[in-house]
Amino acid sequence: MLDLVGTFAFALNGALTAIRVVDVDLVGVLTLGIITAVGGGIVRDVLLGALPPATFVDWRYLAVAGAGGLLAFLFSRELRRLRVSMHVLDAAGLSLFAVTGAGKALELGAGPAQAILLGALTGVGGGTVRDVLIRRVPDVLRTGLYAIPALLAAALVVLTSGIGVDRVLGAPAALAAASVCFAVRMIGLRFHLNAPRPRGVPRRPPGGTA
Amino acid sequence: MLDLVGTFAFALNGALTAIRVVDVDLVGVLTLGIITAVGGGIVRDVLLGALPPATFVDWRYLAVAGAGGLLAFLFSRELRRLRVSMHVLDAAGLSLFAVTGAGKALELGAGPAQAILLGALTGVGGGTVRDVLIRRVPDVLRTGLYAIPALLAAALVVLTSGIGVDRVLGAPAALAAASVCFAVRMIGLRFHLNAPRPRGVPRRPPGGTA
Amino acid sequence: MLDLVGTFAFALNGALTAIRVVDVDLVGVLTLGIITAVGGGIVRDVLLGALPPATFVDWRYLAVAGAGGLLAFLFSRELRRLRVSMHVLDAAGLSLFAVTGAGKALELGAGPAQAILLGALTGVGGGTVRDVLIRRVPDVLRTGLYAIPALLAAALVVLTSGIGVDRVLGAPAALAAASVCFAVRMIGLRFHLNAPRPRGVPRRPPGGTA
């Protein structure tokens, strides 16, 4: 259920980003919304060898993602004014996906480091694929705290699973991990926090040069 | 056999597009031609978990695709004048791939919605991967009717399979579905038809801004 | 062991390229370094259906790749002066990956043509994925001799395996194939050799136009 909320949030936000950045038609808006929503889960499942991917096989994910994309198409003007709510929805999606992604990776036998990476990848993967398709250097590689809260939440999932907490306190532990991710992401947005950058490299216009 | 014709058409057209858009050498022309031709089938097979992918394992696909790429490399100047024939060849490839892709997805147990998406993806996937590699926002997301005829043909395949027509009239039904896709694609090209665009978004230069 | 040396070289070089071309933060440098190092192997294993991919499951690859990325982050200024050593390291990584990649493909039952392609793909795949993420048309498609030496080494591996040499002279044969790749790559760099380009196409600014 929470997973579907995250899917909807990601599809809506992903489609709105696409509309804002490039000229896309209905096909493009729906495609990019769906890819943002289910792409991270697909990449995770490919890397786990859990094919066909769950988010592709389960029609509810595709339906909810398609609905989010359609809403973005129909009401892009209105929705763009709600940028703060979009940030909140996106942070919620990131937190939920990182936690469920890490949990699924553990279930399928991934090691701790792999589960942490796959959890974060579930959160950031869909947006990254969308950015590649609309010809942007993915934000997650450049600015803000996006991968770091996702890695943090996934690490908490792996930790609580490792010490056996998740068997007694499964749902609350998952919720706590998601909350940490959400809080770090929102604090990062509010105070414009960034991960450290390489020394001695001058800032360049976004996208860089070829 | 028809599949190999589509493969050749896609490789030729994909390689010519690459030559037109970016500076590529022989390696690039061949690689991009082959990717355009077999990429859609590979993405479909990865999503179906049918690995290794058929278009990669069957040497005839690679040989035909390589031949198409090589022809484009040798005769790019001459072939570029034949733009109309190229459009026809490309539309034929799209139609054949959408139909065979949807059929293969059904065979491997995909649901109806998934089979429709995978059929269309088989048609548009290779060109999309090529566009990403040559740094274009894929046309399929932006302009013209390209995904829509492919979705239509794939839906017809799923429908005729669902009502059992394909058992009695397999080849004619497939051919009819491909013809619908081909007709819609050519009509769209002829009359410059486009899918609807989001309201209130000004047209921008292609590729957008970062 | 040699594989880990190649992994380190690719991670270091991949991360430095990313720093040079786009504005990336710590997350981006590490991610792009790791992707350059393990991406080729992952794409190969996906195409072989050998999932989860070896370079993702084995923590040593991830650790060595992460270390290479971190080193690039910390000492990007100093390391950039060592461009020649970087070229040497990168050519070594390419040679080792092409040889081990082709060998692994043969082990897993790929045909000769597929094994050659997968060997070369193991060598060039990671850098290609990195280039897509930082919005560059991959160099391997455009300029220099990069894929050709990798294809040559992979073909030598397939050949020696086909005539049974590898059973008696496994390690020396592999080393010889890697040396051929390394030599061709370095000669190409030294004398600015390029693969042939399509006739009648004027050189354009890198990256082309949309």
Side-chain angles (χ1 to χ4, degrees):
Chain A
M1 175 59 205
L2 281 179
D3 231 23
L4 290 175
V5 173
T7 301
F8 181 78
F10 264 30
L12 194 62
N13 201 5
L16 288 174
T17 303
I19 294 171
R20 191 158 45 79
V21 174
V22 280
D23 268 329
V24 279
D25 60 17
L26 176 58
V27 169
V29 173
L30 289 180
T31 305
L32 292 166
I34 291 174
I35 283 176
T36 309
V38 305
I42 287 178
V43 175
R44 176 201 60 207
D45 287 355
V46 168
L47 287 180
L48 284 168
L51 297 175
T55 51
F56 183 75
V57 168
D58 189 333
W59 66 268
R60 291 173 308 166
Y61 287 96
L62 292 176
V64 164
L70 192 62
L71 216 68
F73 180 81
L74 294 173
F75 303 107
S76 60
R77 258 191 309 194
E78 292 77 7
L79 287 166
R80 247 183 301 171
R81 281 184 222 124
L82 307 173
R83 189 173 282 212
V84 174
S85 330
M86 284 300 125
H87 281 319
V88 173
L89 268 180
D90 185 67
L94 178 71
S95 311
L96 295 170
F97 277 18
V99 167
T100 57
K104 175 152 188 203
L106 286 176
E107 259 172 55
L108 289 169
Q114 280 78 15
I116 294 172
L117 288 178
L118 287 174
L121 190 62
T122 310
V124 310
T128 304
V129 176
R130 178 209 56 210
D131 283 347
V132 164
L133 285 171
I134 63 176
R135 230 176 59 160
R136 288 214 302 184
V137 177
D139 270 344
V140 65
L141 302 175
R142 288 194 299 176
T143 182
L145 301 184
Y146 200 74
I148 288 172
L151 287 165
L152 208 57
L156 284 173
V157 170
V158 171
L159 189 73
T160 52
S161 163
I163 59 176
V165 172
D166 63 326
R167 254 167 272 161
V168 215
L169 290 166
L175 210 64
S179 306
V180 168
C181 173
F182 185 80
V184 173
R185 171 69 184 148
M186 293 314 290
I187 291 169
L189 273 175
R190 177 69 189 76
F191 297 102
H192 302 288
L193 302 181
N194 285 302
R197 300 181 63 253
R199 287 170 310 123
V201 180
R203 273 223 168 259
R204 276 150 305 186
T209 60
Chain B
M1 174 61 203
L2 281 179
D3 230 25
L4 290 177
V5 174
T7 301
F8 182 78
F10 265 31
L12 194 62
N13 201 3
L16 287 174
T17 304
I19 293 171
R20 191 158 45 79
V21 174
V22 281
D23 268 329
V24 278
D25 60 18
L26 175 58
V27 170
V29 173
L30 289 181
T31 305
L32 292 165
I34 292 175
I35 284 176
T36 308
V38 305
I42 288 179
V43 175
R44 176 201 61 206
D45 288 354
V46 168
L47 287 179
L48 284 168
L51 297 176
T55 50
F56 183 75
V57 168
D58 189 333
W59 66 269
R60 293 174 304 166
Y61 287 98
L62 292 176
V64 166
L70 192 62
L71 216 66
F73 179 81
L74 294 174
F75 304 107
S76 61
R77 259 191 307 192
E78 292 77 7
L79 288 166
R80 250 185 297 174
R81 281 185 222 125
L82 308 172
R83 190 173 284 209
V84 174
S85 331
M86 285 297 127
H87 280 317
V88 174
L89 268 181
D90 186 65
L94 180 71
S95 312
L96 296 170
F97 277 19
V99 167
T100 57
K104 174 149 189 205
L106 285 176
E107 259 173 54
L108 288 169
Q114 279 78 17
I116 295 173
L117 288 177
L118 287 174
L121 191 61
T122 308
V124 310
T128 304
V129 176
R130 178 208 57 210
D131 283 348
V132 165
L133 285 171
I134 62 176
R135 229 177 61 161
R136 288 214 303 183
V137 178
D139 271 344
V140 65
L141 302 175
R142 289 195 299 175
T143 184
L145 299 184
Y146 200 75
I148 288 173
L151 287 165
L152 208 57
L156 284 172
V157 170
V158 171
L159 189 73
T160 53
S161 163
I163 59 177
V165 171
D166 63 328
R167 254 166 273 161
V168 213
L169 290 166
L175 211 63
S179 307
V180 169
C181 173
F182 185 79
V184 173
R185 171 68 185 149
M186 293 314 290
I187 291 169
L189 272 176
R190 177 70 188 76
F191 297 103
H192 301 288
L193 301 182
N194 285 302
R197 300 183 60 255
R199 288 171 308 124
V201 180
R203 274 222 168 259
R204 275 149 304 185
T209 60
Chain C
M1 175 59 204
L2 281 180
D3 230 23
L4 290 176
V5 173
T7 302
F8 182 78
F10 265 29
L12 194 62
N13 201 5
L16 287 174
T17 304
I19 293 171
R20 191 159 43 80
V21 174
V22 281
D23 268 328
V24 279
D25 59 17
L26 176 58
V27 169
V29 173
L30 289 181
T31 305
L32 292 165
I34 292 174
I35 284 176
T36 308
V38 303
I42 287 179
V43 174
R44 176 201 61 206
D45 287 354
V46 168
L47 288 179
L48 284 167
L51 298 175
T55 51
F56 183 74
V57 168
D58 189 332
W59 66 268
R60 291 173 307 167
Y61 288 96
L62 292 176
V64 165
L70 192 61
L71 216 66
F73 180 81
L74 294 174
F75 302 107
S76 60
R77 259 191 305 192
E78 291 77 6
L79 288 166
R80 250 184 296 173
R81 280 184 223 125
L82 308 172
R83 190 174 281 210
V84 174
S85 330
M86 285 299 126
H87 280 319
V88 174
L89 268 180
D90 186 66
L94 179 71
S95 311
L96 295 170
F97 277 20
V99 168
T100 58
K104 175 152 188 202
L106 286 176
E107 259 173 55
L108 289 168
Q114 280 77 14
I116 294 172
L117 287 178
L118 287 174
L121 191 62
T122 309
V124 308
T128 305
V129 176
R130 176 207 59 209
D131 283 348
V132 164
L133 285 171
I134 63 176
R135 231 177 59 162
R136 288 215 300 185
V137 178
D139 271 343
V140 65
L141 302 174
R142 289 194 299 176
T143 184
L145 300 184
Y146 200 74
I148 288 172
L151 287 165
L152 208 58
L156 283 173
V157 170
V158 170
L159 188 74
T160 53
S161 162
I163 58 178
V165 172
D166 62 328
R167 252 167 273 160
V168 214
L169 290 165
L175 211 63
S179 306
V180 169
C181 173
F182 184 79
V184 174
R185 171 68 185 148
M186 293 314 290
I187 290 168
L189 273 175
R190 176 70 188 76
F191 297 101
H192 302 287
L193 301 181
N194 285 302
R197 300 182 61 251
R199 288 170 309 125
V201 180
R203 275 221 166 259
R204 277 149 303 185
T209 59

